[in-house]
Amino acid sequence: MDTSQTALLGIISSLVATFLFLALRQIIINIIIPWFRRQIYRGVKIEGVWETEMSDNIKYTFHLKQDADSINGIFTHSQSTDHDINSLSYSISGFCRDGFFVGTAEPSAQDAIDHQAFLFAIIHREQSLYIVGKTLTVDSGKISSSNEVEFRKI
């Protein structure tokens, strides 16, 4: 084997090894570590659909997905009138720890700027789970908090 073949074999084998190490890294980060986190997580599971209805035909809905203490999902705010339903959708990210759900919501529409932050206590009552708390919103440049809101898991 001459030197050019040896150099080529070295380059190819190092590229293959690099590819294998990168693939193994992705498997560990995306599959093994999340599986392990789910196995050792002993907190409350809040994954699912949560709803509350307010006055004036306003309905709030959370569709939550949980991976250990990380929470992601969709928040929908809809208001029905006599003629149609106005609906806004938000992307949620947050975490669940020590009996609390803390999160932020970003609007799905690119022309909306009404971000929200929220803190909810997780309560077990009447054989059902509830999240009770407040949201923070920005209205005309001022931060305001909502009245206490209670969601029930359905």
Side-chain angles (χ1 to χ4, degrees), residues 31-135:
I31 297 172
I32 295 173
I33 291 176
W35 175 83
F36 184 71
R37 287 181 66 212
R38 284 190 298 273
Q39 299 307 311
I40 64 171
Y41 178 70
R42 297 292 178 240
V44 66
K45 304 275 193 217
I46 63 170
E47 183 170 273
V49 178
W50 298 78
E51 282 188 346
T52 190
E53 291 200 27
M54 309 295 282
S55 60
D56 301 329
N57 297 322
I58 298 173
K59 183 178 179 181
Y60 297 118
T61 307
F62 284 128
H63 295 270
L64 302 178
K65 294 182 181 177
Q66 185 170 2
D67 183 20
D69 63 348
S70 297
I71 307 293
N72 292 301
I74 303 291
F75 167 55
T76 306
H77 167 259
S78 57
Q79 183 173 12
S80 59
T81 61
D82 294 335
H83 304 295
D84 65 282
I85 297 175
N86 297 324
S87 181
L88 298 171
S89 186
Y90 300 83
S91 175
I92 297 173
S93 63
F95 63 92
C96 177
R97 191 173 301 135
D98 299 327
F100 291 95
F101 170 38
V102 179
T104 59
E106 295 182 21
S108 298
Q110 292 185 358
D111 60 345
I113 58 171
D114 55 338
H115 299 268
Q116 298 183 20
F118 39 83
L119 171 63
F120 292 109
I122 303 165
I123 299 169
H124 184 263
R125 180 177 70 227
E126 302 166 1
Q127 303 298 319
S128 201
L129 280 179
Y130 293 84
I131 52 176
V132 179
K134 293 187 175 192
T135 64

